[in-house]
Amino acid sequence: MTCPERAHPSTRSGRASRRRRLPSAACVVLVGVVLSFSTAARGQEGHPLVGTWYGDWGPTPQARHDVTVIMTWDGKAIGGTIDPGPDAVPFKTATLDSSTWTVHIEAERPAKGATAAVRYVIDGKIANLGSYNRSFSGTWTDGATKGDFKLTRD
């Protein structure tokens, strides 16, 4: 971006030909506005859970299951989906305790045919809260199977 320039007020017609140019006031204001918007955009991420989280969970270090969780915030409630796609499991309830940064999520995979619905209960804590790529880890219960999990926001 090129801003128009104007002559420095100390330049007089009888002095040396050394001239210094100053940017116009409009250009200074424009640059200031652009910088303030870019700083504000980087500083405002919204709700700490919003985004796509990737990781795994499992009952043992050897038996792991990849998982993707998408979390949303509508201004009142946390929403989300576990493993989005044809077998997606929507959140029934989700809460965040901001005094301890702990999260509780409940979801239920609908029953298919004669199979009963499977209930998920996820309890964890957010770590690296100041980082965009914060993590969320704790205990994960899938029906009767209980294990641990770790997710990182991407």
Side-chain angles (χ1 to χ4, degrees), residues 38-71:
S38 66
T39 302
R42 279 186 281 124
Q44 296 178 359
E45 290 185 35
H47 196 278
L49 292 176
V50 170
T52 303
W53 299 74
Y54 299 100
D56 64 15
W57 81 273
T60 68
Q62 296 76 29
R64 308 304 292 173
H65 307 279
D66 289 335
V67 66
T68 299
V69 176
I70 297 176
M71 292 194 235

Side-chain angles (χ1 to χ4, degrees), residues 22-92:
L22 293 178
S24 70
C27 187
V28 170
V29 169
L30 178 62
V31 170
V33 168
V34 170
L35 288 175
S36 68
F37 280 130
S38 66
T39 302
R42 279 186 281 124
Q44 296 178 359
E45 290 185 35
H47 196 278
L49 292 176
V50 170
T52 303
W53 299 74
Y54 299 100
D56 64 15
W57 81 273
T60 68
Q62 296 76 29
R64 308 304 292 173
H65 307 279
D66 289 335
V67 66
T68 299
V69 176
I70 297 176
M71 292 194 235
T72 61
W73 171 250
D74 67 5
K76 295 179 184 177
I78 300 165
T81 305
I82 300 168
D83 287 333
D87 295 323
V89 181
F91 289 6
K92 287 188 86 160

